[in-house]
Amino acid sequence: MWWEQAVIYQVYVRSFQDTNGDGVGDLPGVTQRLGHIAELGVQAVWLSPIYPSPNADFGYDVSDFRSVDPAFGTLEDLDALVSRAGQLGLKVLLDFVPCHTSIEHPWFREHPDYYVWADAPNNWRAAFGGSSWGRDERSGRYFLHSFFPEQADLNWRNPDVREQMTAAMRFWVDRGIDGFRLDALDRLMKDSALRDDPPATHPPELPGDPQDLELDHVHSRNAPDIGDALQAIRHAVGDVLLVGEVYLPIAEAVAYLAALDVVFNFEEIFAVRDAAKLRQAVDTGIRAGGQGWVLSNHDFSRLVTRAGPENARAVALLLLSLPGPVFMFQGDELGFGDAPMAGPEQDRNHRDPFRAPMVWDNDADHGGFSTAPPWLTPTHPPAAGAVQQAQDPTSVLTFTRRAMAVRSRLAANETSLLPSEPGTIALRRGDHVVAVNLTDVPAPAPAAAGTLVLEARPGDGADLSVIPAHGGWIAL
Ligand code: NOJ
Ligand code: CA
């Protein structure tokens, strides 16, 4: 399948390229910049949600699943994007949000039976904190919101909901979409009896809101009939790529692969500061299969900040050498770290620093992102511009392009993890050896034949008998 060793580039549309001078990125902007994406050597683009949205959660609160938010353009703009992508050999994925709708979606008034209701709240907590129940003033009843209060959870046990939602997905497949990133799937099915969650008795496997983590989410997510819902989706869309955002440890997320192709490996995302944990996540993930490796995304601290600037290239080199699809977030190729925002109103729900506008050209107004002040304004650009980095042999962009070229040669190779010193990770892919060191002292390298293929930083591969501090290489 085309996606098995693909690199998939995530575009956060609002922050990619503005073409009409309103400071907000749009679909014509994505189309205009597809050349940059294709030149990286990736196989596909995933667009963050493009549907009409009141933007309580920037597109993840959808008010119409079958059209395009006017701020981003029109359906015709999307068709043009898909067609240009096809010319460049790029597939296009949409982000689909099956778990909830905006409370401004007409369904919320016209079809209350599409949602999950209770006469009184149980103890469930929302992923972003607080109770997951909102009071509906008209009826006096409570609706479930696993995320923000403006995002009402759909009841996927209602056949009409399944029909509406799967028909919406088919609508996009018929328009030429090659797959979907499916949002928040672990929250799609909840206990039908709405039983309270018990208190947490063990430390969480994945980080979360402190209030939410006081409870063990045995009832508020991942109900046993999730498999039926996923099969309904699969049946409706055919064999397009389905990537699940399943916020569960690998051991539980793999069950979703019965209907999906790929699940994100969240353990990896949170392990990048610790070589032992990262090695463990890679090992478990490779054994499990179906893992999507993530450099960064729009929800968590960027790789450069999460791994630490000193280790970011080594971690990127490792992740880009792994079997299975890799997800690169816009700006990763330029070495974006988290970008502090100018004012508090510019840091909605603490994720804005990961969503800073692209920096295309240091010499252009607003980095070439827009002719107007951008919707988000970091205190300083998160990296040098793409134009400047393209001319610099030592830049992150140059490194990323090289790593992509090397990755294409690794694709068919078997993978095995090699024993290595603490703080280091080494693996073999066919005749290639990949070695990275996340400590500040050089470490002895596993046997490598001696031909350097790629170095994390210039000079890292000067002596292949060592893995340099905070560095790494791929050798033959
Ligand atoms: C996961 C998305 O990636 C995130 O941005 C969003 O806030 C939640 N799901 C709720 O849809
Ligand atoms: Ca715009």
Side-chain angles (χ1 to χ4, degrees):
M1 302 296 272
W2 67 265
W3 47 265
E4 280 175 25
Q5 305 298 329
V7 175
I8 298 175
Y9 185 96
Q10 180 189 356
V11 171
Y12 197 72
V13 179
R14 297 185 76 77
S15 296
F16 200 57
Q17 177 67 60
D18 174 28
T19 56
N20 64 346
D22 64 357
V24 174
D26 43 53
L27 293 177
V30 180
T31 306
Q32 186 183 308
R33 293 291 188 182
L34 282 174
H36 167 82
I37 300 173
E39 274 175 41
L40 290 171
V42 309
Q43 283 69 37
V45 180
W46 142 31
L47 303 177
S48 58
I50 57 166
Y51 321 101
S53 166
N55 287 330
D57 190 13
F58 289 106
Y60 289 97
D61 48 323
V62 178
S63 55
D64 177 358
F65 288 100
R66 297 187 193 208
S67 60
V68 169
D69 194 296
F72 294 150
T74 62
L75 276 172
E76 289 66 38
D77 290 330
L78 182 73
D79 292 341
L81 187 161
V82 171
S83 141
R84 179 74 189 125
Q87 289 166 358
L88 293 168
L90 293 169
K91 310 278 187 189
V92 179
L93 310 188
L94 293 188
D95 202 323
F96 196 75
V97 189
C99 176
H100 41 252
T101 76
S102 165
I103 54 173
E104 290 179 40
H105 193 297
W107 293 345
F108 195 60
R109 289 290 156 230
E110 292 164 14
H111 297 284
D113 58 307
Y114 282 13
Y115 296 85
V116 180
W117 295 92
D119 292 328
N122 65 10
N123 77 342
W124 294 356
R125 305 267 167 85
F128 298 138
S131 167
S132 59
W133 295 94
R135 193 178 139 91
D136 175 49
E137 293 308 330
R138 293 194 197 191
S139 63
R141 301 185 76 212
Y142 293 82
F143 64 92
L144 184 67
H145 61 84
S146 291
F147 293 88
F148 286 121
E150 295 87 350
Q151 292 165 301
D153 281 36
L154 287 164
N155 175 12
W156 271 73
R157 295 193 181 97
N158 179 336
D160 294 341
V161 169
R162 284 191 192 199
E163 178 48 36
Q164 288 282 0
M165 294 299 277
T166 54
M169 294 181 77
R170 275 202 308 275
F171 171 84
W172 297 108
V173 172
D174 292 345
R175 279 195 111 87
I177 290 301
D178 301 292
F180 298 95
R181 178 263 191 194
L182 295 170
D183 184 67
L185 285 181
D186 51 292
R187 302 269 184 164
L188 194 66
M189 302 301 284
K190 282 80 45 168
D191 181 37
S192 54
L194 306 178
R195 282 173 287 180
D196 276 355
D197 276 336
T201 51
H202 50 83
E205 282 115 334
L206 299 173
D209 176 85
Q211 280 191 342
D212 193 26
L213 293 179
E214 288 170 5
L215 301 175
D216 193 0
H217 304 107
V218 289
H219 297 310
S220 59
R221 68 179 182 190
N222 199 23
D225 51 353
I226 176 67
D228 302 346
L230 298 179
Q231 291 298 350
I233 291 174
R234 171 56 82 193
H235 183 73
V237 301
D239 63 0
V240 301
L241 173 60
L242 292 179
V243 180
E245 191 214 17
V246 182
Y247 197 68
L248 293 172
I250 303 167
E252 292 171 68
V254 289
Y256 289 58
L257 292 170
L260 310 179
D261 302 297
V262 177
V263 291
F264 296 120
N265 189 306
F266 280 103
E267 288 180 33
E268 166 256 296
I269 295 181
F270 301 112
V272 293
R273 252 181 205 277
D274 179 330
K277 280 193 193 152
L278 181 56
R279 187 180 193 281
Q280 180 66 48
V282 167
D283 192 21
T284 316
I286 289 175
R287 285 171 207 272
Q291 303 296 298
W293 309 104
V294 177
L295 296 178
S296 302
N297 66 31
H298 63 294
D299 284 331
F300 302 105
S301 206
R302 279 182 173 271
L303 177 66
V304 167
T305 306
R306 226 176 332 111
E310 68 286 8
N311 282 330
R313 283 187 185 219
V315 174
L317 178 137
L318 175 77
L319 295 177
L320 285 169
S321 74
L322 294 179
V326 176
F327 293 82
M328 183 186 290
F329 186 33
Q330 65 180 53
D332 282 340
E333 76 277 33
L334 302 178
F336 270 30
D338 296 353
M341 291 298 149
E345 77 288 353
Q346 286 269 19
D347 195 357
R348 308 161 193 90
N349 67 67
H350 307 297
R351 291 178 290 177
D352 285 358
F354 326 139
R355 302 172 178 183
M358 277 294 274
V359 186
W360 297 105
D361 183 351
N362 295 339
D363 298 330
D365 285 348
H366 308 295
F369 165 71
S370 175
T371 53
W375 73 284
L376 261 188
T377 320
T379 51
H380 55 270
V387 168
Q388 285 71 27
Q389 292 203 28
Q391 286 149 13
D392 175 359
T394 68
S395 70
V396 180
L397 180 57
T398 302
F399 161 75
T400 306
R401 287 182 175 160
R402 287 190 185 139
M404 292 293 302
V406 172
R407 178 176 173 80
S408 64
R409 308 213 296 268
L410 299 178
N413 293 347
E414 286 290 311
T415 312
S416 54
L417 274 163
L418 300 172
S420 65
E421 295 290 308
T424 73
I425 303 171
L427 56 90
R428 182 174 276 288
R429 288 208 70 185
D431 46 9
H432 289 73
V433 171
V434 182
V436 300
N437 179 355
L438 306 188
T439 75
D440 51 14
V441 285
T451 309
L452 178 68
V453 173
L454 176 70
E455 43 189 5
R457 292 165 314 175
D460 274 4
D463 174 1
L464 295 177
S465 69
V466 296
I467 324 175
H470 302 302
W473 41 252
I474 299 179
L476 272 173

